[in-house]
């Protein structure tokens, strides 16, 4: 099963007063359908947040149209989550999830992410400086599943192995989006430099491939992307895991995080734990 956890919403959707028009939803639907045709089973629609979180960033999903051959992880009328993020996908269908990526240059932005629980299946952060990269990797913010670095731009920080491995120890994944590799020569060169830095820092562990494709034409088949790993000296097995097992692990991290308190698995309640059941157990203990 292959995953693409980054099909972007329009940039305006992540700004103050942002929304998605019907024409933009139609283009997103084409991209999702192309992902299904190429062999992906799960995709995540990604809203990139610029600035402070606002109510419209939580309610944008209420305007979602009906998608052909897709199973949504949320109710289109209310935006409420429907089932777990890792639930099975019907034959010939593609599973659609909701992802939030917060571009963070200030620590207070990271602390506000806790309020999105339930409105998004996956939460990613894109740090813009050394201090925010460290905070994203060392568990300062609970609500982080993916560290997403801008692959097409030169960073003003270094992705040090000592910092990145803290994220891996917490089950947080690092993302390599391949869309910049399809751009102009200068951007491609920067992508190779950035992506290789991620591979070196992680040694290929807990890395996930995503497309960041805004158009259906920007998508590539899973095995084509797996082969792209050779450019980064990422061997074939690790490259395929970045599209499959690693991506699933990122979803499991998100689902566990949102269903528990600081990764302590919540106990399942049985009938014996209800008030009447507890009273019965107390009588039996006498």
């Amino acid at each position: 099963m292959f995953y693409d956890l980054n099909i972007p919403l329009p940039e305006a959707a992540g700004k103050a007063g942002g929304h998605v028009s019907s024409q933009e939803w139609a283009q997103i639907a084409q991209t999702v359908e192309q992902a299904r045709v190429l062999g992906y089973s799960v995709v995540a629609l990604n809203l990139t947040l610029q600035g402070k979180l606002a109510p419209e960033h939580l309610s944008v999903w209420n305007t979602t149209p009906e998608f052909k051959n897709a199973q949504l992880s949320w109710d289109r009328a209310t935006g409420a989550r429907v089932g777990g993020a890792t639930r099975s996908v019907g034959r010939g269908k593609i599973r659609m999830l909701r992802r939030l990526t917060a571009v963070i240059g200030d620590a207070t932005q990271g602390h506000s992410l806790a309020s999105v629980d339930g409105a998004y299946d996956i939460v990613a952060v894109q740090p813009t400086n050394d201090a925010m990269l460290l905070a994203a990797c060392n568990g300062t913010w609970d609500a982080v599943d993916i560290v997403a670095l801008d692959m097409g731009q030169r960073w003003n920080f270094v992705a040090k192995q000592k910092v990145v491995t803290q994220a891996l120890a917490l089950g947080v994944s690092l993302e390599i989006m391949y869309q910049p590799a399809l751009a102009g020569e200068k951007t491609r060169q920067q992508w190779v430099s950035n992506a290789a830095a991620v591979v070196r820092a992680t040694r290929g562990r807990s890395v996930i491939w995503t497309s960041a494709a805004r158009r259906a034409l920007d998508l590539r088949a899973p095995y084509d992307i797996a082969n792209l790993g050779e450019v980064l000296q990422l061997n074939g097995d690790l490259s395929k895991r970045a599209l499959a097992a690693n991506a699933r692990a990122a979803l499991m991290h998100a689902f566990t995080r949102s269903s528990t308190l600081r990764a302590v698995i919540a106990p399942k309640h049985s009938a014996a734990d209800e008030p009447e059941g507890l009273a019965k157990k107390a009588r039996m203990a006498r």
Side-chain angles (χ1 to χ4, degrees):
M1 183 180 288
F2 294 113
Y3 300 73
D4 184 351
L5 301 183
N6 189 353
I7 302 292
L9 295 188
E11 290 184 9
K15 297 179 180 179
H19 70 284
V20 182
S21 69
S22 57
Q23 293 85 355
E24 290 168 332
W25 277 124
Q27 182 168 316
I28 292 167
Q30 291 177 356
T31 306
V32 171
E33 175 61 13
Q34 179 66 7
R36 186 189 70 84
V37 171
L38 288 174
Y40 293 94
S41 298
V42 180
V43 297
L45 304 188
N46 181 25
L47 184 148
T48 299
L49 177 64
Q50 304 279 354
K52 293 184 178 180
L53 187 70
E56 56 264 30
H57 301 137
L58 303 178
S59 61
V60 65
W61 307 104
N62 298 4
T63 64
T64 311
E66 186 172 355
F67 280 74
K68 181 182 179 182
N69 299 319
Q71 295 177 348
L72 277 61
S73 69
W74 69 96
D75 184 280
R76 290 171 49 233
T78 65
R81 182 181 294 170
V82 179
T86 58
R87 67 183 292 186
S88 60
V89 182
R91 187 174 182 180
K93 299 285 187 178
I94 189 168
R95 178 80 168 150
M96 285 173 51
L97 310 175
R98 299 167 296 179
R99 166 178 162 176
L100 175 72
T101 299
V103 180
I104 295 185
D106 182 276
T108 57
Q109 294 172 277
H111 293 301
S112 69
L113 295 177
S115 63
V116 308
D117 193 32
Y120 287 87
D121 301 297
I122 314 165
V123 177
V125 294
Q126 183 179 311
T128 59
N129 55 57
D130 270 316
M132 296 305 99
L133 175 61
L134 177 60
C137 292
N138 68 7
T140 296
W141 307 312
D142 290 338
V144 177
D145 306 306
I146 298 171
V147 175
L149 303 177
D150 191 336
M151 290 290 123
Q153 300 293 327
R154 184 173 182 176
W155 305 331
N156 61 358
F157 55 86
V158 177
K160 299 177 182 177
Q161 185 177 5
K162 184 177 180 180
V163 173
V164 169
T165 51
Q166 293 181 61
L168 306 189
L170 294 171
V172 175
S173 303
L174 269 80
E175 174 183 30
I176 298 178
M177 57 188 79
Y178 65 77
Q179 193 279 330
L182 309 178
E185 182 179 355
K186 185 176 180 179
T187 302
R188 285 200 306 271
Q189 291 175 348
Q190 189 62 60
W191 177 86
V192 171
S193 175
N194 292 343
V198 172
V199 171
R200 284 194 301 270
T202 61
R203 296 181 180 177
R205 296 175 296 135
S206 297
V207 170
I208 61 172
W209 284 112
T210 68
S211 69
R214 296 189 180 277
R215 305 176 305 160
L217 291 175
D218 292 332
L219 285 169
R220 295 295 182 270
Y223 286 103
D224 291 337
I225 299 307
N227 292 335
L228 188 60
E230 295 179 5
V231 177
L232 310 175
Q233 296 184 343
L234 187 65
N235 70 49
D237 181 60
L238 288 175
S239 196
K240 290 175 185 176
R241 288 180 63 85
L243 285 161
N246 291 358
R248 178 175 173 80
L251 290 186
M252 289 299 297
H253 181 275
F255 182 67
T256 301
R257 172 185 55 75
S258 63
S259 303
T260 63
L261 178 62
R262 296 191 67 85
V264 177
I265 298 177
K268 293 183 179 180
H269 294 286
S270 65
D273 294 321
E274 299 300 322
E276 291 183 1
L278 292 172
K280 182 178 180 180
K281 286 196 291 184
R283 289 194 298 271
M284 292 175 64
R286 291 174 183 170

